[in-house]
Amino acid sequence: MARPAPLLLLLAAVCLVAASSAGGADAAERKTTTVGVYELRKGDFSVRVTNWGAVIMSVVLPDSRGKLADVVLGYDTIAEYVFENSSTYFGALVGRVANRIAKARFVLDGKAYHLYPNDGKNTLHGILEKFPEVQEIHGAWFISTNSGHRGFSNVTWTVKEHVGGGDAPYITLCYHSFDGEQGFPGALDVYVTYQLSGPYVLSVHMNATAAGKATPVNLAQHSYWNLGGAGSGDILGNTVQLFASRYTPVDAELIPTGQVAPVAGTPYDLRAPTPVGARVHRVTGGLSKTGATIYGFDTNYAVDGGDDVDAHALRRVAVVRDGKSGRSLELWANQPGVQFYTGNFLTADVKGKGGKAYGQYGALCLETQGFPDAVNHPNFPSVIVRPGQVYKHEMVYKFSF
């Protein structure tokens, strides 16, 4: 659902007014915001969203026998999303730059920018410098924050529009990111729309406009999918097909080497439907805190067609199928890459909805995006947005059963 330019400007103004009326995100005084939970419903297909971190809290749909289940990982309460989600990012919209930036620095237009490391000496998705205070009063959640650097998954977004029912229910959220937030140059006005755009179709529309300075922008929707139902077990029996002939190899810290390599002849080749469990122990997905090798996918793939003239058109990215439930997910998007992650770092102490321990490989992520660390690799597709330009990121999830 493309938005006309005047509405983009209006949404940006709304976000800016919301930030200014609260004293601005970079103001020294404490700011208190209200956080809610908003439902979109179309028959027996429903999605719940919160304006804390623009999080998708639940996606409920039937299986082949008509049994309903929530197919995304997450938590039961807003407080858990505030205090527990800064490392898992369940359902969150992450930014200003998703994925990793090597050594928490980059150079843009001849100037070096230093960010706040939160993944060893690197940055990942966005830092949370200070935990806010959270209070529930008569079912309403109030979050109080001081100034500090926070990723987009750790801020309160403004609800611009919410239509919970009808033919195409949707919610539009916006956020004004101040100049210097997380160390990035320039102010940025961001909005995201989640919409049930068809029968069992969830569309995600992300836009961002830079004000005053050029800045890197790479937003990602970080939902964890388990088509058998959240907490139902691992996803090793799911089949995955990625429409990607190349990937970006990484070093031990999961930083890209700069190479864009063919998947042919490697365990990363998922061009044909492949059970996750057949490959997950043949690829490395980082190191544990003790230095032990973690197995699993945490890999950026170059989506086929990303080099075409019309590179921003929607392209088929992935198909995931769960044989037990009969559910399938087909993902389309317009970004050059997709990060395929198999929940390698989920452990038994990560407890989610209903107190269930999700466990390693308890879900998978398909994060369409620009390439990781693109700011430090001139040969990667650029993620720089200059004043007057509009960043657009479109995703479409098509479910069947």
Side-chain angles (χ1 to χ4, degrees), residues 8 57 59 84 101-102 128 134 159 169 208 231 245 249 266 289 334 337 346:
L8 284 175
M57 298 178 69
V59 177
E84 305 295 337
I101 296 178
L128 175 60
V134 179
V159 179
S245 304
T266 76
K289 292 180 180 179
N334 69 342
L346 292 177

Side-chain angles (χ1 to χ4, degrees), residues 204-235:
V204 183
H205 314 275
M206 293 172 259
N207 282 270
T209 55
K213 299 178 184 177
T215 185
V217 180
N218 187 22
L219 308 180
Q221 216 303 316
H222 207 296
S223 286
Y224 286 67
W225 300 96
N226 184 325
L227 295 179
S232 64
D234 63 51
I235 46 80

Side-chain angles (χ1 to χ4, degrees), residues 202-375:
L202 170 62
S203 299
V204 183
H205 314 275
M206 293 172 259
N207 282 270
T209 55
K213 299 178 184 177
T215 185
V217 180
N218 187 22
L219 308 180
Q221 216 303 316
H222 207 296
S223 286
Y224 286 67
W225 300 96
N226 184 325
L227 295 179
S232 64
D234 63 51
I235 46 80
L236 298 180
N238 286 186
T239 61
V240 174
Q241 182 179 16
L242 298 181
F243 297 89
S245 304
R246 299 173 298 159
Y247 75 111
T248 52
V250 295
D251 62 19
E253 295 182 337
L254 301 180
I255 298 296
T257 63
Q259 183 184 14
V260 183
V263 298
T266 76
Y268 297 97
D269 190 350
L270 299 174
R271 290 175 294 174
T274 305
V276 174
R279 297 286 177 83
V280 76
H281 297 294
R282 297 178 59 192
V283 295
T284 56
L287 301 175
S288 70
K289 292 180 180 179
T290 62
T293 298
I294 300 292
Y295 290 94
F297 288 90
D298 196 355
T299 309
N300 174 65
Y301 286 82
V303 179
D304 290 342
D307 297 328
D308 294 346
V309 174
D310 190 12
H312 292 292
L314 285 174
R315 299 182 301 282
R316 201 179 189 195
V317 175
V319 175
V320 182
R321 290 188 172 91
D322 176 61
K324 291 183 179 179
S325 68
R327 295 188 185 95
S328 295
L329 180 162
E330 182 177 329
L331 174 61
W332 293 69
N334 69 342
Q335 293 299 291
V338 58
Q339 189 83 9
F340 177 45
Y341 175 57
T342 48
N344 315 329
F345 286 92
L346 292 177
T347 58
D349 61 347
V350 178
K351 292 182 171 59
K353 298 167 185 174
K356 290 182 179 179
Y358 290 137
Q360 192 176 40
Y361 313 128
L364 58 83
C365 301
L366 294 164
E367 307 157 54
T368 55
Q369 58 177 6
F371 290 4
D373 200 32
V375 289

Side-chain angles (χ1 to χ4, degrees), residues 185-202:
L188 190 73
D189 292 310
V190 188
Y191 81 79
V192 58
T193 297
Y194 297 118
Q195 183 176 42
L196 307 190
S197 53
Y200 306 107
V201 176
L202 170 62

Side-chain angles (χ1 to χ4, degrees), residues 2 9-10 23 42 47 62 92 130 140 162 166 172 184 279 366 390:
L9 294 175
L10 174 61
K42 190 177 177 70
V47 173
K130 300 176 182 177
H162 174 227
T172 297
F184 291 108
R279 297 286 177 83
L366 294 164
V390 179

